[in-house]
Amino acid sequence: MRVTDLSRAGLDLPVHAVPLVEVLTADQGHLPSSDRLAHTELGSELRYIGHETSVSEGRRTLTVRQGADGVEATAAFEILDAAPAAVRTTVTVAATGARTLVLRSVASLTTGFTRRDPSGDPKMDHLSGWERIWGTGDWLGEGRWTREPLRGPDFPRLASELTAQNPRGAWTRTSDGTWSTGRHLPVGAVASAADAFALAFQIEHNGAWRWELGEDIAGGYLSLSGPTDADAAWTRVLRPGDAFTTVPATLAAGADLEGALAALTDFRRAARRPHPDNAAMPVVFNDYMNTLNGDPTTAKLLPLIAAAAETGAEIFCIDAGWYDDSGNWWDTVGEWTPSTTRFPGGLGEVVAAIKDAGMTPGLWLEPEVIGVRSPVADALPDEAFLLRHGQRVVEHHRYHLDLRHPAAVAHLNAVVDRLVADFGVGFFKFDYNIDPGPGTDRDADSVGDGLLSHNRAHLDWLDRLLDRHPGLVVENCSSGAMRMDFAMLSRLAMQSTSDQQDFTKFPPIAAAAPIALLPEQAANWAYPQPGMSDEEVAFCLVTGLLGRFYVSGHLNEMTAEQRGTVAEAVRVAKSLRPAVAGWHPHWPAGLPGWDDPWTALALRGEGEDLVSLWHRGGPPAVDLAFPHLAGRDVTVSTVFPRDLPEWKTAWDAASGTLTVHAGGGLAARTLRLTIDSPTQK
C-alpha cells in the first residue's frame, strides 16, 4: 500500500508515493543498495491485509495491516481532536510465520512530500523551491536553527532518471546515545512557498534516533526513525510470535513553516501528560546559575530565600551541592542524603525557611548516575548498571543505572519518596550530565537494543513516579537541554533551555526554543546581577518573559530599586501565563541567528500579539513582519520594562510591518500589539 495524498486545509495535495512501511532486515536489504531508511526490499513487498478505525476520548486512530512472507506490519495513525493538523505514528512489526527476523531498522514514518507530476516528466525538478529547516544542539549553544534550500550541494541534479534507479544517498540527522538533543535535534521541517505547504515533525524518543530527507526519481521523501543498526548499533531479533513497536513520531502540516509549527504546538499541548502545573506555571527561583554555582550553605541560602520571596517567586530550588560534605561531589553522588557541613542546623532548617516564605521547596537531583566513589556503587549489583561485556560503563567518573533492573528502580524510588516525605519537596530539577554511549549488551540482542529498552524503562519510571506524586513538578534539565525531546517533555513540566552563563548570548536560545518545545515549558534563565545597569537587568528579565519564568541571581545583594524591577518582571510573567500557555509562537525577524544584532520571539493570540525583542548592537532599527495583522490598525504598547525609555515604533498596516527603533546599545523590550479596527480602504 502507498501513501499518495496529504490533506491540508481541505485541499488534497498529490505527493510522491512511497511505501507505507519501511523495514530493513538482515536477510532482506535495500533496492537499490544504499544506507537509507527507505528503499527496503521488505517494505516494497508488503501488501494490504486490512485496517481498523476507532474513536475514543478525543482521539481518532487508524491502523493499517500489511503482510509478506511471514511478516506482518501494522502502521498506527493517531489524530487528537485538539490538534487536527498533526498525526502521530508508530509501526509494529511481527514475525507471524516460521521465519526469524533480524531487524536492522524500522521507520516510524516515511512519506513523500513533493508534488507528484501528473505529466510524468522524468526531468521535472521536484525539489526546486523546497527548504529544509533543521536544528543543532551543543552545550551552551542549544537550539541553533538553519533554514536553507533543499536543492543544492547535498541534492544536485543527478539525471537519475537515465539509470532507471533511484539515487542512493540521503541527508541525515542522528543521535546515537542518550543525549537525544546533544548534537542534532529530533525536530525539523520542510516547506515550499510555491505549494503553500509545510511539514514539521518530531521523533519522540529519549535515546538514539535518525531522520532523513531523500530524493527519488519521482520526488522527495522524509523518513523518521528510532535507533538503527547503521547509526546506533541497534538490531532486534524477532522469533516466531515476537513483535517490535517503533518509537512514536509526529508529523504536522500547515500552509507555511509557522503554520506547521503551530499545528505541532497544538499537538504537544494536547498530548502532554495532564498536570496542574501545565496551566499554573509557578515562577521558579533556582540558586545555581551565576549565583551559588553548586555551593549552597545555610548562610548563603537564607538571604536568597527572603529576597526571592520578596520578588514573588513561588518555588525555590536548592541546586547542586546540597548533598556534599567533601567539597568535591562529582564522583560521589548517588546516595542523596543532605550534607551536615553545609547545613549545621540540618537541611530541614532551610526547607522550613522556604515554606515559611510561602514558596514550595525544590531540590536538584541527577537520578540516573552513581559516582564511582559513591557508597551506592558497591551496594548495587553490576546488573543494575549499563554494562559492556560484563564491565560497568564509566563516563566522566560516573556509572549509569540500567532502569530495566529492579534494584536500580528501587534505589531511585526510595530516594525520591524519602526526599518528598522528609522535606515536603514539591519540585525536582532532574539533571543529566553524561552520555554513556551506544548502550548495554546485557540481556539484549545488541547494545542499541539494550539502550532502547533502558530508555523505555526510564519513561515508565517517570510515569510511575508522577502517578505516586501527582502534584510533583519536575524540571527536565539534562545538562542544559541535552535531552530536550518530546518523550521527556510529554511527561515533565519544564525544560531549562541552556547552561549559557553569558546573558548576551541567551536571546537566540530563548527565541528558538518554541520550535523544539512548548513556550510554557521553555525555562530561559533570567539571572540579573547587582552590578548590572538598568538596561542589562531588563535585558536578562525579558529573556524569560515569553516562556516559563525561571529566575536566578544575587537578588539579596541588589538595591531595593533593582529588586523592584525583578518583582515587576515576576508580576508581568504571572500576568502573561495564559498567553504563554495558549498562544502560538511566531518569529517576526526570521529564525534567530547566533550572532544576529536583533532577535525576536512573538506569541500570536486572538486580536493581539506579544513580542520580546533583543538588541545586541548593530543597526538601531529593525523591521518585524506580522503578515496576519496586515490591513489592521494596531496599537503598540510596552509590557516590560515600563520605567525605562520607550522605543520608537511605526506600524505599516498595508504590509503588516512594525519598525522598531532602539535607543542604542544593549537593550531589550517586551511589546504588545493590539488590533484596533480594520483599516478603511
Side-chain angles (χ1 to χ4, degrees), residues 89-112:
T89 69
T90 58
V91 170
T92 299
V93 178
T96 55
R99 168 188 174 197
T100 294
L101 302 178
V102 180
L103 302 179
R104 297 180 58 203
S105 70
V106 184
S108 302
L109 170 71
T110 303
T111 181

Side-chain angles (χ1 to χ4, degrees), residues 531-565:
M532 289 181 172
S533 69
D534 291 346
E535 285 286 5
E536 289 173 333
V537 168
F539 189 102
C540 286
L541 295 169
V542 166
T543 295
L545 281 179
L546 295 190
R548 177 63 177 265
F549 207 59
Y550 200 32
V551 190
S552 194
H554 292 282
L555 303 186
N556 57 304
E557 299 176 11
M558 288 182 166
T559 66
E561 291 77 12
Q562 287 176 319
R563 279 198 300 276
T565 300

Side-chain angles (χ1 to χ4, degrees), residues 73 129 191 284 330-331 335 378 406 453 495 517 561 576 581 668:
V284 181
W330 181 265
D331 58 2
E335 198 169 20
D378 295 327
S453 297
Q495 170 74 59
L517 71 162
E561 291 77 12
L576 296 180

Side-chain angles (χ1 to χ4, degrees), residues 283-338:
V283 172
V284 181
F285 181 92
N286 181 294
D287 69 31
Y288 184 87
M289 187 65 76
N290 291 354
T291 310
L292 300 188
N293 295 315
D295 189 27
T297 65
T298 300
K300 293 177 181 179
L301 285 169
L302 292 181
L304 269 179
I305 291 167
E310 178 187 339
T311 57
E314 295 158 294
I315 294 172
F316 188 102
C317 181
I318 303 169
D319 207 280
W322 59 268
Y323 39 78
D324 171 56
D325 280 334
S326 69
N328 183 22
W329 51 262
W330 181 265
D331 58 2
T332 62
V333 296
E335 198 169 20
W336 308 116
T337 57

Side-chain angles (χ1 to χ4, degrees), residues 328-567:
N328 183 22
W329 51 262
W330 181 265
D331 58 2
T332 62
V333 296
E335 198 169 20
W336 308 116
T337 57
S339 169
T340 57
T341 59
R342 293 179 179 275
F343 312 111
L347 180 62
E349 176 187 5
V350 177
V351 170
I354 295 171
K355 293 179 179 178
D356 290 345
M359 297 182 292
T360 299
L363 289 175
W364 179 96
L365 201 65
E366 194 172 357
E368 296 155 78
V369 300
I370 304 293
V372 296
R373 294 197 299 119
S374 171
V376 178
D378 295 327
L380 293 174
D382 285 343
E383 293 76 18
F385 298 91
L386 299 183
L387 303 176
R388 299 292 293 273
H389 301 289
Q391 292 189 2
R392 296 183 185 184
V393 174
V394 176
E395 179 68 7
H396 200 172
H397 302 159
R398 269 98 172 274
Y399 302 122
H400 196 295
L401 291 171
D402 185 341
L403 293 183
R404 299 176 299 165
H405 196 279
V409 171
H411 165 68
L412 290 192
N413 287 342
V415 167
V416 174
D417 293 350
R418 168 173 52 82
L419 293 173
V420 171
D422 290 356
F423 300 106
V425 172
F427 177 90
F428 280 106
K429 175 181 177 179
F430 279 178
D431 213 340
Y432 187 63
N433 287 308
I434 66 166
D435 182 343
T440 176
D441 54 15
R442 183 186 71 83
D443 292 340
D445 293 331
S446 61
V447 291
D449 181 53
L451 186 63
L452 174 60
S453 297
H454 158 76
N455 295 145
R456 288 174 159 168
H458 177 218
L459 298 178
D460 290 342
W461 176 72
L462 288 173
D463 286 335
R464 292 193 300 270
L465 171 66
L466 293 171
D467 287 343
R468 291 199 312 279
H469 304 287
L472 190 65
V473 178
V474 181
E475 172 195 340
N476 184 45
C477 174
S478 304
S479 194
M482 297 293 97
R483 189 169 58 184
M484 188 175 64
D485 56 77
F486 192 70
M488 298 294 291
L489 290 172
S490 63
R491 293 162 168 84
L492 303 185
M494 54 188 280
Q495 170 74 59
S496 48
T497 55
S498 182
D499 281 347
Q500 178 54 251
Q501 292 181 269
D502 182 343
F503 73 99
T504 69
K505 296 187 182 301
F506 222 120
I509 297 171
I515 304 174
L517 71 162
L518 289 171
E520 58 265 36
Q521 291 181 299
N524 304 306
W525 288 93
Y527 41 55
Q529 300 297 340
M532 289 181 172
S533 69
D534 291 346
E535 285 286 5
E536 289 173 333
V537 168
F539 189 102
C540 286
L541 295 169
V542 166
T543 295
L545 281 179
L546 295 190
R548 177 63 177 265
F549 207 59
Y550 200 32
V551 190
S552 194
H554 292 282
L555 303 186
N556 57 304
E557 299 176 11
M558 288 182 166
T559 66
E561 291 77 12
Q562 287 176 319
R563 279 198 300 276
T565 300
V566 177

Side-chain angles (χ1 to χ4, degrees), residues 26 62 169 178 183-184 188 261 273 336 347 361 518 561 597 607 641 665 677:
L62 165 68
T178 55
R183 181 176 58 198
H184 300 133
L261 290 174
R273 179 189 176 99
W336 308 116
L347 180 62
L518 289 171
E561 291 77 12
S677 61

